[in-house]
Amino acid sequence: MNLTFFDQFMSPQIMGIPLIILALLMPSIIFPIPNNRWLTNRLSTLQMWTINLFTKQLMLPINKTGHKWSIILTSLMAMLLVTNLLGLLPYTFTPTTQLSMNMGLAIPMWLATVLTGLRNQLTTSLGHLLPEGTPTLLIPILIIIETISLFIRPLALGVRLTANLTAGHLLIQLTSTAVLALLPTMMTLSILTGIVLLLLTILELAVAMIQAYVFVLLLCLYLQENI
């Protein structure tokens, strides 16, 4: 039974070919291609308004030097958002429940922010490892602690996204299993459990959107420290 619950997190395959690449390409397929009817199409206009709103919110904590990252960060958030939401549909696969994929997104982006800081302002970036006014005896310990916390950042990004989505999917599956199991014997309890399942689904929709935003927002904060 435990293996059955975690089968939903296995990458689907057809004739031995993994379909995770198709799942990752799905967000780009949903967004329309620019044409002459771009502004007259209500769906396209709504999508562009939403993207512009998200971009403004993401760029608020960043000065003008970092605005060149807006396309990368907005595209990353759009991909994570659509992928998380599509993963809530029945009989679908959520690539962002895979720690390997999330770490593959977190490590290069975090490393890019760190290298940007080391290239543009080496002294300031290294100064973050040692707060001003630190007692002499605490300098080696604080440098070690700050270095460890720096390298933990990408791990925290990937694990946070994976853990939240995985926990939500497991809760939904466990609750739906309980609804079907209680339906023949205890109808009232099954209906109450179904209401809980509906509330969990709404909560997971919010989590899917919030986690995509938090992932990119933390990258924006890391970028602001290094520019």
Side-chain angles (χ1 to χ4, degrees):
M1 180 63 70
N2 292 334
L3 292 177
T4 303
F5 287 145
F6 287 93
D7 281 347
Q8 61 176 316
F9 303 114
M10 297 176 60
S11 178
Q13 297 182 356
I14 292 182
M15 300 178 62
I17 302 175
L19 299 181
I20 188 171
I21 298 177
L22 181 61
L24 292 176
L25 290 176
M26 184 59 67
S28 62
I29 297 175
I30 292 177
F31 286 92
I33 300 175
N35 53 41
N36 294 331
R37 299 185 65 245
W38 180 277
L39 295 179
T40 58
N41 188 306
R42 294 180 180 178
L43 178 60
S44 301
T45 305
L46 179 61
Q47 289 178 345
M48 288 303 300
W49 177 82
T50 305
I51 291 174
N52 289 334
L53 178 63
F54 280 147
T55 304
K56 289 180 182 179
Q57 292 297 322
L58 289 176
M59 294 297 108
L60 280 178
I62 301 179
N63 54 31
K64 291 185 179 180
T65 307
H67 286 183
K68 63 182 71 173
W69 288 66
S70 59
I71 296 178
I72 299 175
L73 295 175
T74 304
S75 302
L76 177 61
M77 190 183 67
M79 188 200 75
L80 291 175
L81 180 63
V82 177
T83 304
N84 293 347
L85 293 176
L86 288 177
L88 294 175
L89 296 175
Y91 302 104
T92 56
F93 171 69
T94 312
T96 44
T97 57
Q98 306 297 308
L99 182 60
S100 57
M101 175 191 163
N102 295 333
M103 294 303 296
L105 292 174
I107 292 177
M109 296 298 295
W110 164 82
L111 187 60
T113 62
V114 174
L115 293 179
T116 299
L118 293 177
R119 185 188 65 178
N120 296 334
Q121 45 181 21
L122 179 61
T123 304
T124 305
S125 297
L126 294 179
H128 291 157
L129 301 178
L130 184 63
E132 186 177 356
T134 304
T136 306
L137 294 178
L138 296 180
I139 288 178
I141 299 176
L142 281 180
I143 291 178
I144 294 174
I145 293 175
E146 292 296 331
T147 304
I148 293 175
S149 65
L150 178 66
F151 284 96
I152 283 178
R153 285 181 175 182
L155 180 63
L157 281 176
V159 171
R160 180 188 294 108
L161 182 59
T162 304
N164 282 280
L165 294 180
T166 303
H169 283 64
L170 284 176
L171 279 175
I172 290 177
Q173 184 170 359
L174 288 170
T175 309
S176 59
T177 303
V179 171
L180 295 177
L182 295 172
L183 188 60
T185 55
M186 292 178 280
M187 178 73 69
T188 304
L189 187 57
S190 177
I191 294 174
L192 292 176
T193 310
I195 296 175
V196 174
L197 176 61
L198 177 61
L199 296 177
L200 278 176
T201 305
I202 297 174
L203 177 63
E204 189 62 18
L205 284 171
V207 169
M209 293 184 285
I210 291 173
Q211 289 304 315
Y213 180 72
V214 168
F215 187 93
V216 181
L217 181 61
L218 288 176
L219 285 175
C220 289
L221 296 178
Y222 299 158
L223 177 63
Q224 176 60 25
E225 291 182 359
N226 292 282
I227 58 175

